[in-house]
Amino acid sequence: LFENMNEGFAYHQMIFDESNNPVDYKFLEINNAFEQFTGLEKSKIIGKRVTEVIPGIQQSKPDLIKIYGNVVLSHKEDNFELFFEPFKKWYYVSVYTREEGYFSTLFRDITEQKRAEELTQLQKQQLIQADKMATLGILVSGVAHEINNPNNFMLLNSNNLVDIWNDLKPILDNHFKTTGDFMVAGIYYS
């Protein structure tokens, strides 16, 4: 059962300093899924401290040594998701203790799920942007339509205006000859 589980499993011993602060932990047992999810080989890590197996883990965020130490000290289970930089993977982790100074981790590789969530979020943002652009396009076409209506009216009637002007000009010229300067629609005709 232990070896055939779909979840990665590891059993550890917590190591404390003289002030009872968690500073490291030792790998005591792992299953096949643990090896698959992490790439760490059982024969190379059993009996070793995590700080030997994964140098720099003390600086990882979140601080796994502290989280696991708190579970051991409080006897309270914890569950969380994390992106583990050394392996470039996302994990869902459950950690619990049944024995003083020891703890177990049970975890799943959720990297593909996280990638799918990121892709979904990106597509959602792209759809929102496309919707904004479509709305803007409708607005711009409406403004263009409002500008084109008077322009089209003038353009369509410009030939009529030329014809009217040509018909009125002789009359206006004749009136000018008899009366002199006069106003038409507030403009002097001279």
Side-chain angles (χ1 to χ4, degrees), residues 85-105:
E85 185 63 36
F87 300 155
K88 305 280 190 237
K89 290 187 177 188
W90 279 94
Y91 297 104
Y92 178 79
V93 180
S94 294
V95 56
Y96 59 93
T97 183
R98 300 282 185 259
E99 182 180 357
E100 193 66 39
Y102 296 85
F103 69 98
S104 297
T105 55

Side-chain angles (χ1 to χ4, degrees), residues 47-67:
K48 292 190 177 175
R49 294 174 177 230
V50 71
T51 53
E52 295 174 72
V53 174
I54 308 170
I57 193 167
Q58 301 93 321
Q59 288 78 37
S60 71
K61 299 291 180 213
D63 184 345
L64 292 177
I65 295 172
K66 183 177 181 180
I67 292 171

Side-chain angles (χ1 to χ4, degrees), residues 14-17 21-25 49-51 58 65-66:
M14 184 56 66
I15 299 170
F16 297 94
D17 64 12
N21 295 313
V23 293
D24 210 339
Y25 59 87
R49 294 174 177 230
V50 71
T51 53
Q58 301 93 321
I65 295 172
K66 183 177 181 180

Side-chain angles (χ1 to χ4, degrees), residues 115-132:
R115 285 185 184 142
E117 288 172 8
E118 288 172 5
L119 180 61
T120 299
Q121 187 62 29
L122 177 64
Q123 289 172 336
K124 183 178 176 183
Q125 289 171 349
Q126 289 172 337
L127 282 173
I128 290 169
Q129 185 64 25
D131 186 52
K132 287 179 184 178

Side-chain angles (χ1 to χ4, degrees), residues 10-183:
Y11 182 62
H12 309 278
Q13 178 184 11
M14 184 56 66
I15 299 170
F16 297 94
D17 64 12
E18 56 280 343
S19 300
N20 206 34
N21 295 313
V23 293
D24 210 339
Y25 59 87
K26 192 182 290 188
F27 291 94
L28 300 179
E29 189 59 56
I30 65 170
N31 69 353
N32 292 336
F34 181 97
E35 288 182 287
Q36 286 179 310
F37 293 157
T38 64
L40 300 174
E41 295 177 33
K42 186 176 192 172
S43 62
K44 294 181 179 177
I45 67 169
I46 295 300
K48 292 190 177 175
R49 294 174 177 230
V50 71
T51 53
E52 295 174 72
V53 174
I54 308 170
I57 193 167
Q58 301 93 321
Q59 288 78 37
S60 71
K61 299 291 180 213
D63 184 345
L64 292 177
I65 295 172
K66 183 177 181 180
I67 292 171
Y68 296 160
N70 288 340
V71 169
V72 170
L73 293 170
S74 70
H75 298 281
K76 291 184 181 172
E77 183 176 320
D78 197 1
N79 300 292
F80 55 93
E81 290 181 358
L82 83 138
F83 181 76
F84 194 58
E85 185 63 36
F87 300 155
K88 305 280 190 237
K89 290 187 177 188
W90 279 94
Y91 297 104
Y92 178 79
V93 180
S94 294
V95 56
Y96 59 93
T97 183
R98 300 282 185 259
E99 182 180 357
E100 193 66 39
Y102 296 85
F103 69 98
S104 297
T105 55
L106 196 62
F107 65 95
R108 289 180 285 128
D109 181 344
I110 59 170
T111 305
E112 289 306 315
Q113 175 186 334
K114 285 293 187 178
R115 285 185 184 142
E117 288 172 8
E118 288 172 5
L119 180 61
T120 299
Q121 187 62 29
L122 177 64
Q123 289 172 336
K124 183 178 176 183
Q125 289 171 349
Q126 289 172 337
L127 282 173
I128 290 169
Q129 185 64 25
D131 186 52
K132 287 179 184 178
M133 295 306 288
T135 302
L136 182 61
I138 291 168
L139 176 67
V140 168
S141 71
V143 169
H145 178 75
E146 292 303 317
I147 291 171
N148 282 336
N149 278 345
N151 288 343
N152 286 337
F153 176 79
M154 289 187 293
L155 185 62
L156 289 173
N157 289 302
S158 63
N159 289 336
N160 291 340
L161 289 173
V162 168
D163 291 343
I164 291 170
W165 175 252
N166 289 335
D167 289 347
L168 285 177
K169 180 137 176 49
I171 296 169
L172 293 173
D173 285 342
N174 191 31
H175 184 69
F176 174 72
K177 286 180 188 175
T178 57
T179 61
D181 288 346
F182 64 94
M183 291 189 76

